[in-house]
Amino acid sequence: MNELAVVLPGLNLKNPIMPASGCFGFGYEYSNFYDLSELGAVIMKAATGTARLGNPTPRVAETASGMLNAIGLQNPGVNHIIEQEVPFLAEYDTSIIANIAGSTIEEYEMVAEAFNDTEHVHALELNISCPNVKEGGIQFGTDPQMAAKVTERVKRVSKLPIYVKLSPNVTDIVAMAKAVEAAGADGLSMINTLTGMQIHLPSRRPLIANKTGGLSGPAIKPIAIRMIYEVKQHVDLPIIGMGGICNAEDVLEFLLAGADAVAVGTANFSNPLVCKEIIADLPDVLKRNGLSSVQEAIGKAVFI
Amino acid sequence: MKKEKLTIIATKQIAKATFEMKLENIHISENAVPGQFLHILMEGHTLGRPISIADIDKQNHIVTILFKVVGSGTKRLAEYRVGQQIDALGPSGNGFPSEQNEKKTVLLIGGGIGVPPMYYLGKQLAEQNVNVIAILGFQTAENVFYEEKFNQVAETYIVTDDGSYGEEGFVTDLLDQVGNFDCYYTCGPLPMIKAITDKLIGKRGYISLEERMGCGVGACLACMIPANNQSGYKKICSDGPVFSAEEVII
Ligand SMILES: Cc1cc2nc3c(=O)[nH]c(=O)nc-3n(C[C@H](O)[C@H](O)[C@H](O)COP(=O)(O)OP(=O)(O)OC[C@H]3O[C@@H](n4cnc5c(N)ncnc54)[C@H](O)[C@@H]3O)c2cc1C
Ligand SMILES: Cc1cc2nc3c(=O)[nH]c(=O)nc-3n(C[C@H](O)[C@H](O)[C@H](O)COP(=O)(O)O)c2cc1C
Ligand code: FES
């Protein structure tokens, strides 16, 4: 077997690298930079029941080692995504994960169901963690009971494996992970962005129109690693890890902490070729660290 | 658009907090059209900074940019020295359509740091034997730049907010004085563009818009502008930054 290969529920990955939801659109823009077939998978931008226009601009701001965003789940709606966006990605030899979101449990169910008969979509990432929408999103992601409920309901209507994307904006990440595990999740995706704010001194105004935004990038990597480590001690589900990954060394750190695969988000903005470069570098980074495969690295950090 | 390295061959201050930088790169100099930009990735920064292409010397593969220091990214760029390389995506976005202007008169309106893309456009139009008129607006005398260069390609009017150079007022105050024109092109702050499009309603015009960018390639949906299309918006980085005046809602 290929040294980079990883098998996860619904996903037969040739390598563990995938662009994170919202940081790669529907792939089209980055297909100008390299062949998307090189990717282990692509996680699409969030889909909601109907089209959303998102928040007012400015929607992004740079912070030390990261960025704030308040896009607000702008997307053309699930039907448009299935009809217009999935066929483009389906041309590539890679797995497709649909990120789904909603304001109500019914909306989550409707979106999940819509993907049931979409050939080429291999798994769902249940986004219960977007900090940038008024209704839904974050409430589902910060209350274990709500998280379990939405997971269970989506699981009931969907034919696809469900990776629940956890929010780091909680005091007890393990409780969240346990709750969605009990509700039937097939895997976890962690972490989403951390709620943050930045103020522009001359105008004394927050730098983004929504006032607060989600913090991502290298600034959040230590939090992601800690949370994956904690969850891994108590929960058996496979984990897609993310948060500040910029290079193959970062990937190895996530694998050692317990992630089975990883997603790369903000780093695509600093370097559109970053996923391709990480995939190329990973075998050598594994070798230099005495490992012969990705499989061998997963969860192998020494904690005693 | 490609990810390219550009070598700095000259950099100098040309007005208050305003810098001119000359960069050498084959791909960008051969492909860029007026109105396109570079998405510059500064060391130590997570997000790129969009900067318009102000001029191209195709023969010598030189790309000129002009920028104003307003925050940490542009401050860093101003510190780069000759011989260093910068990383950028480019040429990015869609430029100004310049056809349909043969033997006609066009008006260029630039405000502040919106003036740079107007220069490359004006130069190209003048080469196509288009009659070019330019109105350039700045805050005060110490902000004025490129007047001489514009004089070589256009009949140029300068206005300053406080009247410390050229005429006193806003660029819109001169619209009635410059005579007839067939088409206009503008780049500058949003309130200026709004005032211009309101005043020139019905005229053929192209506007270049600004918004804080994330990816610079159309993937993150940071840089939206409401539009009269099916989806209700356009992306400034990839559908723009240039739009026809009636295509977006400002
Ligand atoms: C298509 C395009 C072309 C451009 N071309 C040029 C060009 O040719 N030359 C040029 O100089 N610039 C140009 N710009 C603008 C340029 O991109 C910005 O000035 C630059 O990104 C600023 O980066 P910075 O890191 O210096 O500032 P940052 O540190 O990113 O700060 C942004 C600045 O924006 C202002 N600001 C931010 N938030 C707020 C707020 N909430 N309220 C009020 N003000 C705020 C402040 O002045 C702040 O300093 C262009 C922009 C676009 C979109
Ligand atoms: C601009 C932007 C848009 C995002 N949109 C989504 C989204 O639609 N759905 C989602 O689950 N996560 C979204 N995220 C979160 C990322 O998928 C990822 O979890 C987070 O950014 C952490 O990874 P990073 O530090 O590598 O960016 C978005 C992040 C950014 C920066
Ligand atoms: S900056 Fe990302 S879509 Fe325009």
Side-chain angles (χ1 to χ4, degrees):
Chain A
M1 200 162 103
N2 162 4
E3 69 199 308
L4 298 186
V6 183
V7 179
L8 296 176
L11 302 168
N12 207 335
L13 307 177
K14 56 176 160 305
N15 65 62
I17 311 300
M18 49 190 104
S21 180
C23 302
F24 211 69
F26 296 99
Y28 175 77
E29 289 78 15
Y30 290 96
S31 71
N32 298 323
F33 289 94
Y34 62 95
D35 179 359
L36 304 186
S37 297
E38 294 187 35
L39 296 166
V42 173
I43 311 180
M44 296 190 291
K45 172 76 189 161
T48 51
T50 50
R52 288 208 194 180
L53 287 176
N55 291 322
T57 55
R59 295 175 169 189
V60 295
E62 194 176 271
T63 67
S65 302
M67 67 181 279
L68 289 173
N69 91 79
I71 305 297
L73 295 183
Q74 174 162 353
N75 79 93
V78 65
N79 292 331
H80 182 279
I81 291 172
I82 290 170
E83 283 155 29
Q84 310 286 326
E85 311 291 356
V86 173
F88 172 78
L89 279 171
E91 294 287 304
Y92 293 94
D93 175 22
T94 187
S95 298
I96 304 178
I97 302 174
N99 182 278
I100 67 167
S103 307
T104 59
I105 292 194
E106 290 70 33
E107 187 178 359
Y108 276 101
E109 285 179 318
M110 178 258 177
V111 179
E113 236 176 331
F115 281 108
N116 271 344
D117 301 314
T118 309
E119 209 193 343
H120 306 299
V121 171
H122 305 94
L124 299 184
E125 181 177 60
L126 184 61
N127 178 5
I128 53 166
S129 43
C130 180
N132 298 322
V133 288
K134 284 204 187 69
E135 306 143 7
I138 198 81
Q139 284 131 269
F140 292 112
T142 50
D143 174 352
Q145 269 179 333
M146 288 286 280
K149 196 163 159 191
V150 65
T151 305
E152 198 189 308
R153 294 269 295 269
V154 166
K155 193 62 203 161
R156 211 181 297 161
V157 298
S158 177
K159 296 181 193 163
L160 295 170
I162 314 286
Y163 292 78
V164 180
K165 184 160 179 178
L166 300 183
S167 167
N169 298 309
V170 295
T171 32
D172 188 353
I173 191 77
V174 176
M176 295 299 300
K178 281 183 172 166
V180 301
E181 181 181 45
D186 299 280
L188 299 173
S189 186
M190 51 191 293
I191 56 176
N192 209 317
T193 54
L194 286 119
T195 310
M197 186 192 255
Q198 196 180 16
I199 294 168
H200 177 249
L201 299 185
S203 62
R204 299 192 201 169
R205 288 175 201 281
L207 272 160
I208 47 181
N210 204 42
K211 298 191 185 80
T212 62
L215 180 66
S216 64
I220 71 168
K221 197 185 93 180
I223 299 168
I225 298 286
R226 183 265 292 179
M227 289 189 160
I228 290 167
Y229 155 73
E230 284 180 354
V231 166
K232 194 73 180 178
Q233 310 305 304
H234 299 98
V235 173
D236 276 336
L237 297 176
I239 298 173
I240 301 174
M242 65 201 74
I245 294 174
C246 291
N247 54 45
E249 278 85 1
D250 292 340
V251 172
L252 180 53
E253 193 177 335
F254 273 79
L255 297 174
L256 291 173
D260 298 82
V262 298
V264 180
T266 304
N268 290 291
F269 304 159
S270 331
N271 174 9
L273 294 165
V274 70
C275 288
K276 178 189 167 79
E277 289 173 8
I278 289 175
I279 294 163
D281 292 347
L282 195 54
D284 192 45
V285 168
L286 288 169
K287 203 180 300 157
R288 276 193 276 120
N289 287 280
L291 295 157
S292 60
S293 71
V294 163
Q295 212 55 57
E296 203 182 300
I298 298 168
K300 295 297 163 50
V302 181
F303 295 116
I304 37 161
Chain B
M1 184 199 346
K2 278 188 172 172
K3 181 170 182 267
E4 289 284 306
K5 282 196 183 303
L6 299 93
T7 308
I8 300 170
I9 54 171
T11 175
K12 70 170 183 215
Q13 189 166 352
I14 56 167
K16 186 185 174 191
T18 309
F19 292 77
E20 177 191 68
M21 191 176 257
K22 292 194 178 287
L23 303 157
E24 191 173 51
N25 179 279
I26 294 175
H27 174 73
I28 290 164
S29 61
E30 281 182 351
N31 293 289
V33 300
Q36 287 186 302
F37 64 94
L38 301 179
H39 198 59
I40 302 182
L41 305 156
M42 260 82 69
E43 250 169 61
H45 290 265
T46 303
L47 301 179
R49 301 299 197 271
I51 302 288
S52 301
I53 292 167
D55 196 10
I56 297 277
D57 171 352
K58 277 203 162 82
Q59 231 157 23
N60 298 303
H61 303 303
I62 298 168
V63 181
T64 303
I65 56 170
L66 304 182
F67 61 93
K68 189 158 182 176
V69 174
V70 296
S72 63
T74 44
K75 181 163 179 273
R76 188 74 234 273
L77 192 59
E79 289 161 6
Y80 276 66
R81 291 289 153 249
V82 170
Q84 272 184 281
Q85 287 193 316
I86 60 170
D87 276 318
L89 309 182
S92 298
N94 296 307
F96 290 103
S98 60
E99 58 285 353
Q100 297 179 25
N101 286 316
E102 306 81 36
K103 300 204 182 109
K104 296 210 168 133
T105 299
V106 308
L107 176 64
L108 310 183
I109 313 158
I113 207 61
V115 167
M118 293 289 117
Y119 177 68
Y120 182 26
L121 176 67
K123 197 173 111 172
Q124 197 169 85
L125 289 168
E127 278 166 15
Q128 294 163 9
N129 289 321
V130 175
N131 182 33
V132 187
I133 306 170
I135 307 176
L136 311 178
F138 299 93
Q139 277 172 353
T140 65
E142 55 189 350
N143 293 294
V144 177
F145 59 85
Y146 265 38
E147 185 185 12
E148 306 268 278
K149 296 192 91 142
F150 269 92
N151 277 330
Q152 288 162 25
V153 298
E155 177 188 333
T156 306
Y157 300 83
I158 309 268
V159 289
T160 50
D161 297 359
D162 63 354
S164 54
Y165 194 84
E167 302 212 20
E168 179 176 340
F170 296 124
V171 291
T172 38
D173 298 333
L174 263 73
L175 290 178
D176 300 328
Q177 296 174 36
V178 295
N180 284 333
F181 52 91
D182 301 286
C183 173
Y184 70 94
Y185 296 89
T186 182
C187 182
L190 205 60
M192 179 193 101
I193 293 183
K194 175 139 182 56
I196 291 168
T197 52
D198 284 352
K199 207 159 174 184
L200 298 181
I201 225 156
K203 266 253 194 260
R204 187 158 62 92
Y206 300 95
I207 60 179
S208 178
L209 298 179
E210 277 195 18
E211 188 50 74
R212 202 104 43 85
M213 292 191 181
C215 64
V217 303
C220 75
L221 309 186
C223 65
M224 315 308 291
I225 180 89
N228 299 316
N229 63 348
Q230 198 197 346
S231 60
Y233 62 82
K234 297 227 167 187
K235 303 176 205 175
I236 291 179
C237 66
S238 55
D239 298 327
V242 174
F243 297 97
S244 72
E246 65 279 3
E247 165 180 28
V248 288
I249 305 161
I250 43 176

